Amino acid sequence: MTAPYPRTAPRPGHLSLVADPPVLLTDPAGLFAELARLELPRGEYVVCGSAALYVRGLRARMGDLDVLARGPAWDVVLTLGVVPGTALSGHGLVVNHPTAAIEFVDQWTPGWPTDYLIDSADLIDGIPFMRLGDVLAWKQRARRPKDLPDISAIAHLCRAWADDSARDLPVGRAAA
């Protein structure tokens, strides 16, 4: 029987080390698998936008990945052989993956510092995602028609969390 994922060779006198497991996220289009294949350096990129809702179960589908990359991760993106263009926001550069629905940008939309978004990312199945509160704030600012169901889904989740928190308080403290 083979191991479920590759193992690194053990050093003499040490336990064998296990390599990172494969991407576990549900990925019908293979987008997360393709992102993992690129081996972008950890701590140098973050998946932003609606994919951050999809992985948290707040969306049934996702059409693409929006990836913010800096430094060494951006250098890897530039090896895809696609000439960077101006991002749709007019803020920074964009590279569209040549075969997958993955858009790489070197800056997120105006007002969102690259370092903050990357450094504060939530790690889910080994992939960094934009924090849910930041997704909400970004979508509330943009307030495009396509953002309204996402805003509603996040607000519903926040209400559910608040209700659960209130139930956990000792009697007489919920109203305080």
Side-chain angles (χ1 to χ4, degrees):
M1 183 170 147
T2 60
Y5 40 87
R7 295 184 180 274
T8 59
R11 295 187 328 219
H14 290 85
L15 296 173
S16 65
L17 301 174
V18 177
D20 289 338
V23 174
L24 302 175
L25 297 168
T26 303
D27 192 10
L31 299 178
F32 294 123
E34 178 58 20
L35 181 62
R37 188 193 67 74
L38 294 175
E39 297 182 348
L40 298 179
R42 289 180 190 243
E44 298 298 327
Y45 73 100
V46 62
V47 177
C48 296
S50 298
L53 299 175
Y54 173 80
V55 300
R56 291 174 171 97
L58 296 174
R59 270 187 157 220
R61 294 178 294 141
M62 64 175 184
D64 65 354
L65 292 182
D66 298 313
V67 180
L68 172 62
R70 69 178 173 200
W74 185 251
D75 293 341
V76 172
V77 169
L78 294 177
T79 68
L80 293 173
V82 177
V83 177
T86 301
L88 185 60
S89 68
H91 189 68
L93 299 174
V94 63
V95 170
N96 291 300
H97 190 287
T99 60
I102 305 175
E103 181 177 276
F104 299 94
V105 293
D106 69 341
Q107 297 179 49
W108 197 235
T109 56
W112 291 96
T114 299
D115 291 339
Y116 165 77
L117 290 172
I118 292 172
D119 295 340
S120 66
D122 289 330
L123 203 59
I124 301 173
D125 282 351
I127 298 175
F129 287 92
M130 189 177 191
R131 293 174 52 218
L132 192 55
D134 291 333
V135 175
L136 176 60
W138 171 66
K139 286 185 171 283
Q140 285 174 325
R141 282 187 201 166
R143 205 147 186 89
R144 302 165 297 185
K146 72 178 189 173
D147 293 324
L148 299 179
D150 295 334
I151 292 168
S152 178
I154 298 169
H156 178 74
L157 179 62
C158 290
R159 283 191 301 274
W161 284 342
D163 289 347
D164 284 348
S165 294
R167 277 190 284 261
D168 292 340
L169 290 174
V171 176
R173 301 265 326 252

